[in-house]
Amino acid sequence: MAIRYLENSKTLILETAHTTYQMKISKYDYLLHTYYGEKLSDEDLSYLIQPKDRGFSPNPYEAEYDRTFSLDVFPQEFSSDGCGDFRKPSIEIKNGDGSTAFLGKVKKHHIRSGKYSLPGLPALFATDNDTVDTLEITLQDEATKVIVVLLYSVFEEKDIITRAVKVINQSDQTIYLNRIMSTTLDFMESDYDFIHFAGRHTMERNLIRTPLRYGVQSIESSRGASSHQHNPFVILCRPETDEDHGDCYGFSFVYSGNFRCEIEKDQFDQTRLLFGINPRGFSYQLKTGECFDAPETVLTYSNQGFAKLTHQYHDIYRNNLCRSHFSHLERPIVINSWEAAYFDFDDEKLLHIAKEAVDMGVEMFVLDDGWFGKRDSDFSGLGDWETNTSKIKRGLPDFAKEINKLGLKFGLWVEPEMVSEDSNLYRTHPEWCMKIKGRAPVRGRYQLVLDLSQKAVCDYLINTLNHILDSANIEYIKWDLNRNMTDVWSSVVDFEHQGEIYHRYMLGLYYIFDQVILTHPDILFCGCAGGGGRYDPAMLYYYPQVWCSDNTDAVNRMSIQYGTSFVYPINTLESHVSICPNHQTGRTTPFDTRGTVAMDGILGYELDSTKLTAEEKYLCREQIASYKKYYDLIAYGDYYRLTDPVKSKKYMAWQHVSKDQKTALVSIVITNKESNEPQKYVRIKGLLPNQFYSIKGQDGVYSGRALMKAGIPLPDLGEYESVQYYITAVS
Ligand code: DGJ
């Protein structure tokens, strides 16, 4: 078993191939956290907690005259509130009598094999190839009888620990849960850097690294989506940690709605990390006997820097997260109509684009926004999911057939969670959108958000979507979301339940996904939220891929893909070649480079194929051919970031290495050209030091050691030009 309880020391130990996680049931039955990091033996690590009389840090009543036992100082596994720990709490509750205290003590624990699941919520699952064990620890507040169950699953070989929390109201009165953090992790030191991924629409997931300072530092989303602005993923690492060396801890939250991660450096230079649903706007009523399931956090640790941390996340998310079998298949090469035509098209124009795309080697045509309702701009039409026959004159089924006749698969765009005020749906059901009674709603892209906390709305969307999917030969769906939530209030619940709407919306959305996506396993779904506004593991449970950003500029894309790659596998990241000057930045880059960058993901095209030159079409065919040749390496290999977009002033480079370390693909793009430059060398990673390799198109063989330690000379290329090196082991 990867989980053990040692009776003598009252320690609970979770063990993976390379890590140990330890807790101790202390005197008075408080659950203390003693260690997480590199694998150790079964020794009791509670000696690390040095009891001292600390002024203004109070002591539990049962400690009597012992002033060294304080919940304000000791590292805890799930912190109490209002009972002597002044640091940020794991829980905030309003009890039946109006008090807000919660003090959890261990009542029981249980170890079993297999992975826990969470009702209504996405979570990692075990496959037949995994050894997974689960620990459940029940804490109870002796005064109120409220119960908290801490859940841990250990993916032993994958060095992954997942955590989740359940709150069960076993008191005899109704309570309100105002905060519940899925993970609490206390470290006895604070010499760490906090890394998170911040951004904005069209510029998502830029890596931010800062040393911890006293007090609370946090990231969050209160937008009703995981958001472009902050991703629900953070790293804590030692100041010296880099891609290849040093300790780092990853925390990835499996949820697509409001989240918060808080890190507190306390008065004694200790660190507490909390990750969970954002308490802002959250208040959940629990009647006697009712239970609340908080989403999962996925934890990992590496003592060899960020590259290993990334490999651990990529491996677990590739194999134990996405339910779709497409996750393990090569995806079709898509041409998408958005940047080619925006709203300005009819079926003839689109068929022309599709026909020319065949010549490029494309395999699927995706009809983006504008095909339905009165949708000639973003002012109207959302909610009316009938084909606009003034644009698609032959109707959707026949249009799909025409596309198929060209030898292409057919894909379609939808944005089901939204409604335009100028739509039949809104005119019929104005009460179905998020809107506060007596208050004009805030608009975003002229649209309003449907209230998915309402069962009627979910059922309507399930029927509508299933009808669309079954109406034509649709083999791909791009599921978009183009605004964030405001006016969060539901017309169908009373005062006491309004604080549940953000979360009930997510449960409604996951329910719809269960009924639409999981019932159409042969349709490939691509998630999108104005690009990467909802790129999170919960979405990847349903969609095998996400449109990474609305920014298709190759130079900006390298930074976006760099940040995204820390946690999300390359075969989840959809990336397209578009025309230049680029529509978002106005920059011009070589066609080849756009291909090199888009190949660092799921390659596709986002352009009007009828406007390409013969040479560009030839380049497309070449790009597609080499992408297919290297697909397994790109999709399933280990990923290495060779440069950092902030520090590397001259070029960007990244690398895919096969699991057997016999083949590698290195991609390099020059980002800044100077005259009469010094020679630079690119050091390759992940090869076998004593193995000899050849580089495609070059004479000679090189040892892995030479390629890794001395590197390869950076070739003389112009600004924004790129090169790819395919490296193979010679026998
Ligand atoms: C935002 C998406 O990210 C784009 O690719 C496109 O689908 C538009 N929405 C359509 O409105």
Side-chain angles (χ1 to χ4, degrees), residues 201 228 336 338-339 342-343 368-370 375 378 382 413-415 445 447 478 480-482 527-532 547 549-552 576 606:
H201 178 223
H228 300 87
N336 179 293
W338 182 241
E339 286 198 23
Y342 295 103
F343 293 108
D368 209 280
D369 198 352
R375 186 75 171 164
D378 51 17
L382 287 173
W413 176 98
V414 290
E415 193 181 359
R445 207 194 189 197
Q447 61 200 51
K478 178 176 172 188
D480 205 348
L481 171 110
N482 282 300
C528 175
W547 175 230
S549 176
D550 272 351
N551 187 341
T552 56
H576 293 174
E606 183 97 13

Side-chain angles (χ1 to χ4, degrees), residues 9 42 331 395 428 481 493 720:
S9 56
D42 279 355
R331 319 299 156 73
T428 318
L481 171 110
V493 299
Y720 302 144

Side-chain angles (χ1 to χ4, degrees), residues 116-123 151 166 291-295 503 507 510 514:
Y116 64 79
S117 55
L118 301 171
L121 288 168
L151 296 167
K166 277 177 193 297
C291 170
F292 182 84
D293 292 278
H503 182 64
L507 295 178
Y510 297 142
D514 284 338

Side-chain angles (χ1 to χ4, degrees), residues 77 92 116 316 587 644 678:
E77 198 56 29
E92 280 174 25
Y116 64 79
I316 194 95
R587 193 190 330 255
D644 162 338

Side-chain angles (χ1 to χ4, degrees), residues 411-424:
L412 192 67
W413 176 98
V414 290
E415 193 181 359
E417 297 159 70
M418 298 291 152
V419 65
S420 307
E421 284 163 278
D422 185 0
S423 70
N424 293 333

Side-chain angles (χ1 to χ4, degrees), residues 491-522:
S491 55
V492 297
V493 299
D494 56 21
F495 170 84
E496 285 150 349
H497 294 279
Q498 295 296 346
E500 300 169 11
I501 301 305
Y502 277 116
H503 182 64
R504 287 197 181 278
Y505 181 98
M506 296 321 304
L507 295 178
L509 181 63
Y510 297 142
Y511 171 68
I512 295 171
F513 285 167
D514 284 338
Q515 304 300 316
V516 176
I517 299 184
L518 299 188
T519 56
H520 288 89
D522 295 328

Side-chain angles (χ1 to χ4, degrees), residues 683-695:
R683 285 176 185 79
I684 311 304
K685 293 185 180 174
L687 303 181
L688 297 164
N690 298 327
Q691 171 72 51
F692 279 84
Y693 294 86
S694 65
I695 301 179

Side-chain angles (χ1 to χ4, degrees), residues 530-641:
R534 214 164 50 177
Y535 202 150
D536 59 63
M539 285 289 142
L540 292 177
Y541 180 82
Y542 295 100
Y543 314 132
Q545 62 200 61
V546 175
W547 175 230
C548 174
S549 176
D550 272 351
N551 187 341
T552 56
D553 170 67
V555 176
N556 282 178
R557 262 287 174 145
M558 285 188 284
S559 304
I560 297 166
Q561 293 178 184
Y562 167 87
T564 307
S565 76
F566 273 79
V567 59
Y568 302 114
I570 306 307
N571 73 341
T572 66
L573 185 164
E574 194 167 328
S575 193
H576 293 174
V577 172
S578 63
I579 61 143
C580 280
N582 177 268
H583 288 192
Q584 291 79 44
T585 61
R587 193 190 330 255
T588 295
T589 52
F591 203 88
D592 254 345
T593 297
R594 285 174 258 158
T596 300
V597 173
M599 270 188 223
D600 189 24
I602 299 168
L603 174 70
Y605 293 84
E606 183 97 13
L607 43 73
D608 184 346
S609 51
T610 65
K611 300 205 171 120
L612 292 186
T613 62
E615 199 208 334
E616 285 170 332
K617 278 195 188 156
Y618 167 78
L619 289 174
C620 290
R621 284 195 296 275
E622 294 277 292
Q623 281 166 1
I624 293 171
S626 48
Y627 180 67
K628 286 184 170 289
K629 181 167 168 206
Y630 303 135
Y631 184 80
D632 283 354
L633 195 49
I634 294 169
Y636 311 118
D638 281 338
Y639 190 71
Y640 290 91
R641 293 166 290 271

